[in-house]
Amino acid sequence: MMTSLAFRRDFALCLVPTQIWKSTKKTLAEKFEGQKFWDYYGDAGGSRAVAWTRESVGQINAIQEVGVTTCEGDAVALCTEHYDQVRTGWNYLSIWWSDADFAIVLAGLLTDDVGLSVCRALISRRDELRQTEVIEPRQQTLHQGGSIAMVATIGAGVLIPMTGGLAAPLLAPVVAGSLLGRVASDVAGGALKFGEMRRLKRREEARDAIQERFPQLNKIFE
């Protein structure tokens, strides 16, 4: 999944018994049937040790095997316990501290060093995709929006002397419109960067807080 991963993709954690996962008689979809899933989407809720329907399983479009659980007892009970612990105090922030981070953190609490390295790779890859698939396109769209605003303002400027019957030269409204468009674009660009920096800071604060609560997660975010 790592190479084909897209940023805007929902994440969930699933525990599959080893004998079922390694079975050569079951299809991939069949291996997930009846298994427990955990995910969290903020105010939208989430799954807590829930078996997904066949339809839901059929909607899975990417799978990343993390590793094996390190617990000796009931893995489902342990995962649910960690789920409750992590969810308490989790300030969901779309794009910046979301269901993907939640699922990766939860997996990190259940696996060994090999699995932690997979979790770290997922976090790192999503950081890259957040930049290339979300932040940069937003900035490009903003610049395009500035150009469109300039055209719209210029058009309005041209129409005013025509409909108002004023003898003002058309060049003045056009120049004013161009300046207005650039100013609006610069202001919006500054606001966007400020908002991104603020959300990044909230992500870093949430990351530091979760590591303080669960020191083993340091290997994911280091």
Side-chain angles (χ1 to χ4, degrees):
M1 181 179 78
M2 206 73 69
T3 56
S4 62
L5 181 64
F7 185 82
R8 295 185 183 279
R9 175 172 284 166
D10 296 331
F11 274 59
L13 177 67
C14 180
L15 289 182
V16 181
T18 303
Q19 67 272 20
I20 293 179
W21 185 248
K22 293 183 177 181
S23 173
T24 58
K25 297 181 180 181
K26 291 180 177 291
T27 66
L28 190 56
E30 289 173 342
K31 293 178 180 181
F32 287 106
E33 290 182 3
Q35 309 309 328
K36 299 298 189 293
F37 288 80
W38 292 260
D39 55 32
Y40 181 55
Y41 300 100
D43 292 338
S47 303
R48 179 179 180 273
V50 173
W52 283 8
T53 63
R54 179 173 298 182
E55 181 181 0
S56 296
V57 170
Q59 293 176 351
I60 297 174
N61 56 27
I63 298 169
Q64 176 64 56
E65 184 178 359
V66 175
V68 297
T69 60
T70 56
C71 67
E72 297 180 355
D74 187 342
V76 171
L78 179 62
C79 188
T80 302
E81 179 182 347
H82 284 319
Y83 177 93
D84 293 338
Q85 292 171 342
V86 174
R87 181 166 173 171
T88 300
W90 186 279
N91 294 317
Y92 187 94
L93 185 61
S94 178
I95 297 176
W96 295 92
W97 194 240
S98 63
D99 55 280
D101 300 291
F102 188 93
I104 296 170
V105 163
L106 189 56
L109 295 176
L110 295 165
T111 190
D112 55 14
D113 286 345
V114 175
L116 286 171
S117 67
V118 175
C119 293
R120 182 172 65 249
L122 282 170
I123 288 290
S124 178
R125 180 61 177 150
R126 280 182 49 77
D127 285 343
E128 295 173 359
L129 294 174
R130 183 184 299 105
Q131 180 66 32
T132 59
E133 294 187 8
V134 179
I135 296 177
E136 291 178 3
R138 281 181 175 178
Q139 293 172 343
Q140 293 173 1
T141 300
L142 177 64
H143 293 314
Q144 294 171 356
S147 299
I148 293 172
M150 287 166 56
V151 172
T153 306
I154 291 171
V158 172
L159 289 174
I160 289 175
M162 291 176 64
T163 57
L166 302 179
L170 298 182
L171 179 61
V174 171
V175 174
S178 299
L179 292 174
L180 179 59
R182 286 200 298 271
V183 171
S185 178
D186 291 343
V187 171
L192 177 62
K193 290 180 180 179
F194 177 77
E196 289 174 348
M197 291 177 61
R198 183 178 59 186
R199 285 186 285 272
L200 175 59
K201 182 178 181 180
R202 289 179 61 183
R203 173 180 172 79
E204 292 173 344
E205 292 172 346
R207 178 200 63 198
D208 294 343
I210 202 71
Q211 289 181 86
E212 184 175 347
R213 292 175 59 195
F214 305 100
Q216 61 267 49
L217 296 177
N218 293 340
K219 294 182 178 180
I220 293 181
F221 297 103
E222 63 185 6

